[in-house]
Amino acid sequence: MAYYQEPSVETSIIKFKDQDFTTLRDHCLSMGRTFKDETFPAADSSIGQKLLQEKRLSNVIWKRPQDLPGGPPHFILDDISRFDIQQGGAADCWFLAALGSLTQNPQYRQKILMVQSFSHQYAGIFRFRFWQCGQWVEVVIDDRLPVQGDKCLFVRPRHQNQEFWPCLLEKAYAKLLGSYSDLHYGFLEDALVDLTGGVITNIHLHSSPVDLVKAVKTATKAGSLITCATPSGPTDTAQAMENGLVSLHAYTVTGAEQIQYRRGWEEIISLWNPWGWGEAEWRGRWSDGSQEWEETCDPRKSQLHKKREDGEFWMSCQDFQQKFIAMFICSEIPITLDHGNTLHEGWSQIMFRKQVILGNTAGGPRNDAQFNFSVQEPMEGTNVVVCVTVAVTPSNLKAEDAKFPLDFQVILHPIDVVSCPSKKHLSAHPSLR
C-alpha cells in the first residue's frame, strides 16, 4: 500500500480547447440558433485520412439527430445499457467494449455522462468528460453526426431505439484524440483508464492460473470494468471466425458463474460483442442454442440463459482461456489476483508530474525521470502498482505503432512490485479492431 507524501487535492475539470459548455449553450439559446463547433467541424478533417482512405468514404454528410429518420431523438431512453451500442465503420471495439462495461457501473458513468436532453434547453451542444493524465477533461461537441444514406457512419442508435448518447460520446472521444481515424484501432487499457482514471490489472489467460469466476465476481463487487481480447487471426484484421468469435477484437465481460451440469459443476463466463444486435456470437459450448443449456438442471437456467441475438453469450471458462488472450480489470482499488482474488482494504496514491532530469549517455541524449516514494505498511501480495502515462507523443512515432520507445525500472526493497503500464506505449498486444 503506497503512502501519500502530500495531501490529496481534488482535481479541477479542464475545459478542452477552452470551451465552456454553459457559456456556449446560453449564447446559442439567446441567439436562437444551434451550436456549430468550429474546433471539430462537420468536415472530412474530423473523420481523418486513415478512415477516408481505408473505407473509401465518399458522399459523407453531417446531420443532427432530429434530421434523421426514425422519430424524435433521445439522449437516454429509460436507462443506459451496453445494448444501446452498435459499432459502426470505425474499428473502435477497444473503446466500445470498455464503454459497454462502463454502462454497468453507475459510479463511473455519472462522471462521464452529464444530464442532457434533446428537448430541455436544447441548443445542439453536448458535453462529456474523460480522464487524461491525472485530471478530468470536459469535451464539448455539437450533435452533427457523419452519415451515409441517413445512417450513422460510426456508432449508430439501435434499430427503433433513437437513443443517441453512444454516438455523441464516441464523437467527443474522437475530438479528444484528434479525429475518428484516431479511434480506428487502439488498446483496451487506454479506453479503460480514460473512462475511469483507474488502475489496470492485466490477466494473461494462457499463463495465469487464476480462478476466473472468483476474479470476475470480486472485480464486479468492487465496481470494476472488465474487458477481454482475442488474438489475431490469419490476417491482421478483425474477422468473424467459424466458431462465432472475432479475431483481434475486444469484448466486455458481463458475468461469470458456476452452473450445475450433469453430475458436477462447470464454470462459465458471459461476454458481449460491441458489434451489437444480430452480429457474431460464440457457437460452441454454452452458446445460446447449445445442447449444454438443454441438459442443465440448474435452477438459475432461465435467469442466465437469454436466447437473443444481442451480441451477448456464455461460454465455458476453459474455452475462454483457450480462445482469448487477455482479460483486463480496471478499478479504483487494485485487485490482488495471486492471494485469493482479494481487494486491498486501503489504497493510497502518489502522483509525480513533469519532474524530469535531463541527462546524456553514450547512446545519445535521453530524459531520465527519477522519483522517490516510501511504502510504510507492507503486506502480503502486491504492495505497489506503478503506472506511467506519457502526455506528449514523439513526432516520429506513428499512431499505429504497437510499442512506444520507453523503458522504466522500479527499484524497491524488500517488497514485491507490480509494474502496470498505462497507455499504448507499453502494450504487449496488438491494437484491437
Side-chain angles (χ1 to χ4, degrees), residues 20-53:
D20 181 73
F21 170 81
T22 303
T23 301
L24 292 169
R25 181 200 61 190
D26 291 350
H27 177 71
C28 288
L29 290 173
S30 66
M31 299 295 290
R33 65 190 186 194
T34 51
F35 177 59
K36 291 185 178 180
D37 183 12
E38 300 303 328
T39 70
F40 197 69
D44 286 353
S45 60
S46 295
I47 296 175
Q49 287 301 311
K50 182 166 61 175
L51 269 172
L52 290 169
Q53 294 173 2

PDB file of all heavy atoms in Angstrom, residues 20-53:
ATOM      1  N   ASP A  20     -16.252  26.391 -22.788  1.00  0.00           N
ATOM      2  CA  ASP A  20     -17.118  26.258 -21.619  1.00  0.00           C
ATOM      3  C   ASP A  20     -18.539  25.948 -22.079  1.00  0.00           C
ATOM      4  O   ASP A  20     -19.165  26.741 -22.799  1.00  0.00           O
ATOM      5  CB  ASP A  20     -17.115  27.538 -20.787  1.00  0.00           C
ATOM      6  CG  ASP A  20     -17.986  27.413 -19.553  1.00  0.00           C
ATOM      7  OD1 ASP A  20     -17.581  26.718 -18.605  1.00  0.00           O
ATOM      8  OD2 ASP A  20     -19.096  28.006 -19.557  1.00  0.00           O
ATOM      9  N   PHE A  21     -19.049  24.816 -21.665  1.00  0.00           N
ATOM     10  CA  PHE A  21     -20.352  24.332 -22.127  1.00  0.00           C
ATOM     11  C   PHE A  21     -21.468  25.328 -21.819  1.00  0.00           C
ATOM     12  O   PHE A  21     -22.253  25.696 -22.700  1.00  0.00           O
ATOM     13  CB  PHE A  21     -20.659  22.981 -21.479  1.00  0.00           C
ATOM     14  CG  PHE A  21     -22.068  22.506 -21.691  1.00  0.00           C
ATOM     15  CD1 PHE A  21     -22.436  21.891 -22.876  1.00  0.00           C
ATOM     16  CD2 PHE A  21     -23.037  22.672 -20.708  1.00  0.00           C
ATOM     17  CE1 PHE A  21     -23.743  21.459 -23.082  1.00  0.00           C
ATOM     18  CE2 PHE A  21     -24.335  22.243 -20.897  1.00  0.00           C
ATOM     19  CZ  PHE A  21     -24.697  21.632 -22.091  1.00  0.00           C
ATOM     20  N   THR A  22     -21.551  25.774 -20.569  1.00  0.00           N
ATOM     21  CA  THR A  22     -22.655  26.639 -20.164  1.00  0.00           C
ATOM     22  C   THR A  22     -22.644  27.954 -20.929  1.00  0.00           C
ATOM     23  O   THR A  22     -23.683  28.428 -21.413  1.00  0.00           O
ATOM     24  CB  THR A  22     -22.592  26.907 -18.652  1.00  0.00           C
ATOM     25  OG1 THR A  22     -22.622  25.661 -17.947  1.00  0.00           O
ATOM     26  CG2 THR A  22     -23.766  27.757 -18.201  1.00  0.00           C
ATOM     27  N   THR A  23     -21.480  28.543 -21.084  1.00  0.00           N
ATOM     28  CA  THR A  23     -21.369  29.808 -21.815  1.00  0.00           C
ATOM     29  C   THR A  23     -21.796  29.651 -23.263  1.00  0.00           C
ATOM     30  O   THR A  23     -22.563  30.468 -23.804  1.00  0.00           O
ATOM     31  CB  THR A  23     -19.926  30.339 -21.744  1.00  0.00           C
ATOM     32  OG1 THR A  23     -19.556  30.530 -20.373  1.00  0.00           O
ATOM     33  CG2 THR A  23     -19.785  31.642 -22.497  1.00  0.00           C
ATOM     34  N   LEU A  24     -21.318  28.589 -23.911  1.00  0.00           N
ATOM     35  CA  LEU A  24     -21.651  28.349 -25.316  1.00  0.00           C
ATOM     36  C   LEU A  24     -23.134  28.034 -25.488  1.00  0.00           C
ATOM     37  O   LEU A  24     -23.789  28.542 -26.413  1.00  0.00           O
ATOM     38  CB  LEU A  24     -20.796  27.214 -25.864  1.00  0.00           C
ATOM     39  CG  LEU A  24     -19.297  27.494 -25.994  1.00  0.00           C
ATOM     40  CD1 LEU A  24     -18.533  26.214 -26.297  1.00  0.00           C
ATOM     41  CD2 LEU A  24     -19.039  28.541 -27.084  1.00  0.00           C
ATOM     42  N   ARG A  25     -23.666  27.200 -24.609  1.00  0.00           N
ATOM     43  CA  ARG A  25     -25.091  26.844 -24.713  1.00  0.00           C
ATOM     44  C   ARG A  25     -25.987  28.071 -24.515  1.00  0.00           C
ATOM     45  O   ARG A  25     -26.913  28.314 -25.293  1.00  0.00           O
ATOM     46  CB  ARG A  25     -25.440  25.778 -23.679  1.00  0.00           C
ATOM     47  CG  ARG A  25     -26.902  25.315 -23.726  1.00  0.00           C
ATOM     48  CD  ARG A  25     -27.315  24.659 -22.436  1.00  0.00           C
ATOM     49  NE  ARG A  25     -27.190  25.594 -21.310  1.00  0.00           N
ATOM     50  CZ  ARG A  25     -27.301  25.210 -20.031  1.00  0.00           C
ATOM     51  NH1 ARG A  25     -27.497  23.941 -19.728  1.00  0.00           N
ATOM     52  NH2 ARG A  25     -27.181  26.104 -19.065  1.00  0.00           N
ATOM     53  N   ASP A  26     -25.710  28.838 -23.469  1.00  0.00           N
ATOM     54  CA  ASP A  26     -26.544  30.006 -23.175  1.00  0.00           C
ATOM     55  C   ASP A  26     -26.483  31.033 -24.305  1.00  0.00           C
ATOM     56  O   ASP A  26     -27.487  31.689 -24.624  1.00  0.00           O
ATOM     57  CB  ASP A  26     -26.118  30.641 -21.861  1.00  0.00           C
ATOM     58  CG  ASP A  26     -26.445  29.762 -20.649  1.00  0.00           C
ATOM     59  OD1 ASP A  26     -27.172  28.756 -20.841  1.00  0.00           O
ATOM     60  OD2 ASP A  26     -25.979  30.068 -19.539  1.00  0.00           O
ATOM     61  N   HIS A  27     -25.307  31.179 -24.918  1.00  0.00           N
ATOM     62  CA  HIS A  27     -25.186  32.112 -26.043  1.00  0.00           C
ATOM     63  C   HIS A  27     -26.050  31.646 -27.216  1.00  0.00           C
ATOM     64  O   HIS A  27     -26.754  32.468 -27.846  1.00  0.00           O
ATOM     65  CB  HIS A  27     -23.727  32.220 -26.476  1.00  0.00           C
ATOM     66  CG  HIS A  27     -23.514  33.092 -27.672  1.00  0.00           C
ATOM     67  ND1 HIS A  27     -23.653  34.466 -27.641  1.00  0.00           N
ATOM     68  CD2 HIS A  27     -23.191  32.773 -28.967  1.00  0.00           C
ATOM     69  CE1 HIS A  27     -23.415  34.963 -28.839  1.00  0.00           C
ATOM     70  NE2 HIS A  27     -23.131  33.958 -29.664  1.00  0.00           N
ATOM     71  N   CYS A  28     -26.009  30.335 -27.506  1.00  0.00           N
ATOM     72  CA  CYS A  28     -26.828  29.803 -28.602  1.00  0.00           C
ATOM     73  C   CYS A  28     -28.320  29.960 -28.303  1.00  0.00           C
ATOM     74  O   CYS A  28     -29.106  30.313 -29.194  1.00  0.00           O
ATOM     75  CB  CYS A  28     -26.487  28.325 -28.834  1.00  0.00           C
ATOM     76  SG  CYS A  28     -24.876  28.046 -29.589  1.00  0.00           S
ATOM     77  N   LEU A  29     -28.710  29.709 -27.074  1.00  0.00           N
ATOM     78  CA  LEU A  29     -30.120  29.849 -26.700  1.00  0.00           C
ATOM     79  C   LEU A  29     -30.579  31.295 -26.841  1.00  0.00           C
ATOM     80  O   LEU A  29     -31.694  31.571 -27.320  1.00  0.00           O
ATOM     81  CB  LEU A  29     -30.340  29.355 -25.270  1.00  0.00           C
ATOM     82  CG  LEU A  29     -30.219  27.840 -25.042  1.00  0.00           C
ATOM     83  CD1 LEU A  29     -30.296  27.512 -23.557  1.00  0.00           C
ATOM     84  CD2 LEU A  29     -31.308  27.087 -25.810  1.00  0.00           C
ATOM     85  N   SER A  30     -29.716  32.224 -26.430  1.00  0.00           N
ATOM     86  CA  SER A  30     -30.094  33.641 -26.519  1.00  0.00           C
ATOM     87  C   SER A  30     -30.187  34.121 -27.960  1.00  0.00           C
ATOM     88  O   SER A  30     -30.971  35.019 -28.288  1.00  0.00           O
ATOM     89  CB  SER A  30     -29.079  34.500 -25.749  1.00  0.00           C
ATOM     90  OG  SER A  30     -27.804  34.458 -26.377  1.00  0.00           O
ATOM     91  N   MET A  31     -29.411  33.499 -28.835  1.00  0.00           N
ATOM     92  CA  MET A  31     -29.409  33.872 -30.250  1.00  0.00           C
ATOM     93  C   MET A  31     -30.422  33.070 -31.062  1.00  0.00           C
ATOM     94  O   MET A  31     -30.628  33.343 -32.247  1.00  0.00           O
ATOM     95  CB  MET A  31     -28.007  33.678 -30.842  1.00  0.00           C
ATOM     96  CG  MET A  31     -26.915  34.521 -30.191  1.00  0.00           C
ATOM     97  SD  MET A  31     -27.161  36.289 -30.462  1.00  0.00           S
ATOM     98  CE  MET A  31     -26.806  36.394 -32.211  1.00  0.00           C
ATOM     99  N   GLY A  32     -31.018  32.051 -30.434  1.00  0.00           N
ATOM    100  CA  GLY A  32     -31.998  31.224 -31.119  1.00  0.00           C
ATOM    101  C   GLY A  32     -31.413  30.370 -32.219  1.00  0.00           C
ATOM    102  O   GLY A  32     -32.041  30.151 -33.268  1.00  0.00           O
ATOM    103  N   ARG A  33     -30.214  29.847 -32.013  1.00  0.00           N
ATOM    104  CA  ARG A  33     -29.575  29.014 -33.023  1.00  0.00           C
ATOM    105  C   ARG A  33     -28.899  27.814 -32.371  1.00  0.00           C
ATOM    106  O   ARG A  33     -28.671  27.796 -31.166  1.00  0.00           O
ATOM    107  CB  ARG A  33     -28.563  29.818 -33.822  1.00  0.00           C
ATOM    108  CG  ARG A  33     -27.382  30.310 -33.009  1.00  0.00           C
ATOM    109  CD  ARG A  33     -26.537  31.296 -33.805  1.00  0.00           C
ATOM    110  NE  ARG A  33     -25.321  31.668 -33.096  1.00  0.00           N
ATOM    111  CZ  ARG A  33     -24.558  32.703 -33.451  1.00  0.00           C
ATOM    112  NH1 ARG A  33     -24.892  33.446 -34.502  1.00  0.00           N
ATOM    113  NH2 ARG A  33     -23.451  32.977 -32.762  1.00  0.00           N
ATOM    114  N   THR A  34     -28.572  26.829 -33.180  1.00  0.00           N
ATOM    115  CA  THR A  34     -27.894  25.640 -32.678  1.00  0.00           C
ATOM    116  C   THR A  34     -26.387  25.792 -32.819  1.00  0.00           C
ATOM    117  O   THR A  34     -25.889  26.477 -33.716  1.00  0.00           O
ATOM    118  CB  THR A  34     -28.353  24.377 -33.428  1.00  0.00           C
ATOM    119  OG1 THR A  34     -28.260  24.600 -34.828  1.00  0.00           O
ATOM    120  CG2 THR A  34     -29.797  24.035 -33.059  1.00  0.00           C
ATOM    121  N   PHE A  35     -25.687  25.117 -31.924  1.00  0.00           N
ATOM    122  CA  PHE A  35     -24.225  25.243 -31.825  1.00  0.00           C
ATOM    123  C   PHE A  35     -23.534  24.559 -33.000  1.00  0.00           C
ATOM    124  O   PHE A  35     -23.895  23.449 -33.402  1.00  0.00           O
ATOM    125  CB  PHE A  35     -23.769  24.628 -30.504  1.00  0.00           C
ATOM    126  CG  PHE A  35     -22.276  24.614 -30.307  1.00  0.00           C
ATOM    127  CD1 PHE A  35     -21.533  25.784 -30.313  1.00  0.00           C
ATOM    128  CD2 PHE A  35     -21.610  23.414 -30.090  1.00  0.00           C
ATOM    129  CE1 PHE A  35     -20.156  25.769 -30.126  1.00  0.00           C
ATOM    130  CE2 PHE A  35     -20.244  23.388 -29.893  1.00  0.00           C
ATOM    131  CZ  PHE A  35     -19.514  24.558 -29.909  1.00  0.00           C
ATOM    132  N   LYS A  36     -22.516  25.210 -33.545  1.00  0.00           N
ATOM    133  CA  LYS A  36     -21.624  24.629 -34.543  1.00  0.00           C
ATOM    134  C   LYS A  36     -20.208  24.714 -34.003  1.00  0.00           C
ATOM    135  O   LYS A  36     -19.698  25.805 -33.771  1.00  0.00           O
ATOM    136  CB  LYS A  36     -21.742  25.363 -35.880  1.00  0.00           C
ATOM    137  CG  LYS A  36     -23.074  25.155 -36.586  1.00  0.00           C
ATOM    138  CD  LYS A  36     -23.080  25.809 -37.970  1.00  0.00           C
ATOM    139  CE  LYS A  36     -24.389  25.549 -38.688  1.00  0.00           C
ATOM    140  NZ  LYS A  36     -24.401  26.183 -40.041  1.00  0.00           N
ATOM    141  N   ASP A  37     -19.604  23.568 -33.822  1.00  0.00           N
ATOM    142  CA  ASP A  37     -18.273  23.503 -33.210  1.00  0.00           C
ATOM    143  C   ASP A  37     -17.196  23.660 -34.282  1.00  0.00           C
ATOM    144  O   ASP A  37     -16.897  22.719 -35.026  1.00  0.00           O
ATOM    145  CB  ASP A  37     -18.123  22.173 -32.476  1.00  0.00           C
ATOM    146  CG  ASP A  37     -16.800  22.051 -31.738  1.00  0.00           C
ATOM    147  OD1 ASP A  37     -16.106  23.087 -31.610  1.00  0.00           O
ATOM    148  OD2 ASP A  37     -16.479  20.938 -31.284  1.00  0.00           O
ATOM    149  N   GLU A  38     -16.607  24.828 -34.336  1.00  0.00           N
ATOM    150  CA  GLU A  38     -15.568  25.085 -35.337  1.00  0.00           C
ATOM    151  C   GLU A  38     -14.252  24.395 -35.000  1.00  0.00           C
ATOM    152  O   GLU A  38     -13.377  24.267 -35.862  1.00  0.00           O
ATOM    153  CB  GLU A  38     -15.340  26.594 -35.476  1.00  0.00           C
ATOM    154  CG  GLU A  38     -16.590  27.374 -35.914  1.00  0.00           C
ATOM    155  CD  GLU A  38     -17.157  26.870 -37.233  1.00  0.00           C
ATOM    156  OE1 GLU A  38     -16.358  26.408 -38.086  1.00  0.00           O
ATOM    157  OE2 GLU A  38     -18.389  26.929 -37.416  1.00  0.00           O
ATOM    158  N   THR A  39     -14.081  23.946 -33.752  1.00  0.00           N
ATOM    159  CA  THR A  39     -12.849  23.241 -33.385  1.00  0.00           C
ATOM    160  C   THR A  39     -12.880  21.771 -33.789  1.00  0.00           C
ATOM    161  O   THR A  39     -11.851  21.104 -33.771  1.00  0.00           O
ATOM    162  CB  THR A  39     -12.587  23.345 -31.876  1.00  0.00           C
ATOM    163  OG1 THR A  39     -13.549  22.558 -31.161  1.00  0.00           O
ATOM    164  CG2 THR A  39     -12.672  24.792 -31.394  1.00  0.00           C
ATOM    165  N   PHE A  40     -14.053  21.258 -34.115  1.00  0.00           N
ATOM    166  CA  PHE A  40     -14.211  19.885 -34.625  1.00  0.00           C
ATOM    167  C   PHE A  40     -15.321  19.950 -35.671  1.00  0.00           C
ATOM    168  O   PHE A  40     -16.448  19.525 -35.433  1.00  0.00           O
ATOM    169  CB  PHE A  40     -14.553  18.916 -33.498  1.00  0.00           C
ATOM    170  CG  PHE A  40     -14.331  17.463 -33.837  1.00  0.00           C
ATOM    171  CD1 PHE A  40     -13.049  16.958 -34.012  1.00  0.00           C
ATOM    172  CD2 PHE A  40     -15.401  16.596 -33.974  1.00  0.00           C
ATOM    173  CE1 PHE A  40     -12.835  15.623 -34.318  1.00  0.00           C
ATOM    174  CE2 PHE A  40     -15.204  15.249 -34.269  1.00  0.00           C
ATOM    175  CZ  PHE A  40     -13.917  14.761 -34.444  1.00  0.00           C
ATOM    176  N   PRO A  41     -15.001  20.496 -36.840  1.00  0.00           N
ATOM    177  CA  PRO A  41     -16.035  20.844 -37.820  1.00  0.00           C
ATOM    178  C   PRO A  41     -16.681  19.627 -38.470  1.00  0.00           C
ATOM    179  O   PRO A  41     -16.136  18.520 -38.456  1.00  0.00           O
ATOM    180  CB  PRO A  41     -15.250  21.670 -38.850  1.00  0.00           C
ATOM    181  CG  PRO A  41     -13.853  21.160 -38.757  1.00  0.00           C
ATOM    182  CD  PRO A  41     -13.643  20.818 -37.307  1.00  0.00           C
ATOM    183  N   ALA A  42     -17.834  19.859 -39.058  1.00  0.00           N
ATOM    184  CA  ALA A  42     -18.531  18.815 -39.820  1.00  0.00           C
ATOM    185  C   ALA A  42     -17.857  18.714 -41.187  1.00  0.00           C
ATOM    186  O   ALA A  42     -18.366  19.186 -42.206  1.00  0.00           O
ATOM    187  CB  ALA A  42     -20.004  19.166 -39.955  1.00  0.00           C
ATOM    188  N   ALA A  43     -16.681  18.100 -41.192  1.00  0.00           N
ATOM    189  CA  ALA A  43     -15.847  18.062 -42.396  1.00  0.00           C
ATOM    190  C   ALA A  43     -14.997  16.799 -42.395  1.00  0.00           C
ATOM    191  O   ALA A  43     -14.882  16.094 -41.379  1.00  0.00           O
ATOM    192  CB  ALA A  43     -14.952  19.303 -42.450  1.00  0.00           C
ATOM    193  N   ASP A  44     -14.367  16.516 -43.534  1.00  0.00           N
ATOM    194  CA  ASP A  44     -13.518  15.330 -43.665  1.00  0.00           C
ATOM    195  C   ASP A  44     -12.369  15.336 -42.662  1.00  0.00           C
ATOM    196  O   ASP A  44     -11.895  14.272 -42.244  1.00  0.00           O
ATOM    197  CB  ASP A  44     -12.966  15.234 -45.085  1.00  0.00           C
ATOM    198  CG  ASP A  44     -14.019  14.791 -46.091  1.00  0.00           C
ATOM    199  OD1 ASP A  44     -15.136  14.434 -45.665  1.00  0.00           O
ATOM    200  OD2 ASP A  44     -13.720  14.808 -47.301  1.00  0.00           O
ATOM    201  N   SER A  45     -11.897  16.511 -42.275  1.00  0.00           N
ATOM    202  CA  SER A  45     -10.766  16.587 -41.340  1.00  0.00           C
ATOM    203  C   SER A  45     -11.106  15.958 -39.997  1.00  0.00           C
ATOM    204  O   SER A  45     -10.219  15.439 -39.316  1.00  0.00           O
ATOM    205  CB  SER A  45     -10.353  18.046 -41.140  1.00  0.00           C
ATOM    206  OG  SER A  45     -11.437  18.812 -40.604  1.00  0.00           O
ATOM    207  N   SER A  46     -12.366  15.983 -39.614  1.00  0.00           N
ATOM    208  CA  SER A  46     -12.771  15.380 -38.345  1.00  0.00           C
ATOM    209  C   SER A  46     -12.892  13.860 -38.458  1.00  0.00           C
ATOM    210  O   SER A  46     -12.827  13.149 -37.444  1.00  0.00           O
ATOM    211  CB  SER A  46     -14.102  15.979 -37.873  1.00  0.00           C
ATOM    212  OG  SER A  46     -13.958  17.354 -37.582  1.00  0.00           O
ATOM    213  N   ILE A  47     -13.087  13.368 -39.656  1.00  0.00           N
ATOM    214  CA  ILE A  47     -13.073  11.912 -39.870  1.00  0.00           C
ATOM    215  C   ILE A  47     -11.635  11.419 -39.944  1.00  0.00           C
ATOM    216  O   ILE A  47     -11.280  10.418 -39.316  1.00  0.00           O
ATOM    217  CB  ILE A  47     -13.848  11.538 -41.150  1.00  0.00           C
ATOM    218  CG1 ILE A  47     -15.327  11.900 -40.990  1.00  0.00           C
ATOM    219  CG2 ILE A  47     -13.699  10.047 -41.456  1.00  0.00           C
ATOM    220  CD1 ILE A  47     -16.161  11.675 -42.230  1.00  0.00           C
ATOM    221  N   GLY A  48     -10.788  12.113 -40.686  1.00  0.00           N
ATOM    222  CA  GLY A  48      -9.382  11.738 -40.785  1.00  0.00           C
ATOM    223  C   GLY A  48      -9.080  10.935 -42.022  1.00  0.00           C
ATOM    224  O   GLY A  48      -9.913  10.147 -42.501  1.00  0.00           O
ATOM    225  N   GLN A  49      -7.871  11.120 -42.547  1.00  0.00           N
ATOM    226  CA  GLN A  49      -7.492  10.485 -43.794  1.00  0.00           C
ATOM    227  C   GLN A  49      -7.435   8.965 -43.723  1.00  0.00           C
ATOM    228  O   GLN A  49      -7.757   8.278 -44.693  1.00  0.00           O
ATOM    229  CB  GLN A  49      -6.137  11.042 -44.263  1.00  0.00           C
ATOM    230  CG  GLN A  49      -6.209  12.465 -44.792  1.00  0.00           C
ATOM    231  CD  GLN A  49      -7.163  12.590 -45.963  1.00  0.00           C
ATOM    232  OE1 GLN A  49      -7.119  11.805 -46.916  1.00  0.00           O
ATOM    233  NE2 GLN A  49      -8.053  13.568 -45.887  1.00  0.00           N
ATOM    234  N   LYS A  50      -7.036   8.433 -42.585  1.00  0.00           N
ATOM    235  CA  LYS A  50      -6.907   6.971 -42.485  1.00  0.00           C
ATOM    236  C   LYS A  50      -8.238   6.270 -42.753  1.00  0.00           C
ATOM    237  O   LYS A  50      -8.306   5.305 -43.529  1.00  0.00           O
ATOM    238  CB  LYS A  50      -6.375   6.585 -41.100  1.00  0.00           C
ATOM    239  CG  LYS A  50      -6.157   5.086 -40.915  1.00  0.00           C
ATOM    240  CD  LYS A  50      -5.332   4.777 -39.685  1.00  0.00           C
ATOM    241  CE  LYS A  50      -5.973   5.236 -38.403  1.00  0.00           C
ATOM    242  NZ  LYS A  50      -5.202   4.817 -37.207  1.00  0.00           N
ATOM    243  N   LEU A  51      -9.313   6.761 -42.147  1.00  0.00           N
ATOM    244  CA  LEU A  51     -10.634   6.162 -42.368  1.00  0.00           C
ATOM    245  C   LEU A  51     -11.170   6.488 -43.755  1.00  0.00           C
ATOM    246  O   LEU A  51     -11.772   5.635 -44.414  1.00  0.00           O
ATOM    247  CB  LEU A  51     -11.608   6.658 -41.306  1.00  0.00           C
ATOM    248  CG  LEU A  51     -11.720   5.805 -40.043  1.00  0.00           C
ATOM    249  CD1 LEU A  51     -12.569   6.505 -38.999  1.00  0.00           C
ATOM    250  CD2 LEU A  51     -12.307   4.442 -40.366  1.00  0.00           C
ATOM    251  N   LEU A  52     -10.966   7.714 -44.192  1.00  0.00           N
ATOM    252  CA  LEU A  52     -11.460   8.098 -45.511  1.00  0.00           C
ATOM    253  C   LEU A  52     -10.866   7.221 -46.597  1.00  0.00           C
ATOM    254  O   LEU A  52     -11.563   6.792 -47.520  1.00  0.00           O
ATOM    255  CB  LEU A  52     -11.137   9.564 -45.781  1.00  0.00           C
ATOM    256  CG  LEU A  52     -11.925  10.603 -44.964  1.00  0.00           C
ATOM    257  CD1 LEU A  52     -11.309  11.993 -45.146  1.00  0.00           C
ATOM    258  CD2 LEU A  52     -13.390  10.622 -45.368  1.00  0.00           C
ATOM    259  N   GLN A  53      -9.563   6.928 -46.477  1.00  0.00           N
ATOM    260  CA  GLN A  53      -8.895   6.127 -47.498  1.00  0.00           C
ATOM    261  C   GLN A  53      -9.180   4.637 -47.333  1.00  0.00           C
ATOM    262  O   GLN A  53      -9.496   3.944 -48.299  1.00  0.00           O
ATOM    263  CB  GLN A  53      -7.387   6.389 -47.447  1.00  0.00           C
ATOM    264  CG  GLN A  53      -7.012   7.812 -47.832  1.00  0.00           C
ATOM    265  CD  GLN A  53      -5.539   8.107 -47.623  1.00  0.00           C
ATOM    266  OE1 GLN A  53      -4.769   7.245 -47.214  1.00  0.00           O
ATOM    267  NE2 GLN A  53      -5.126   9.346 -47.898  1.00  0.00           N
TER     268      GLN A  53
END
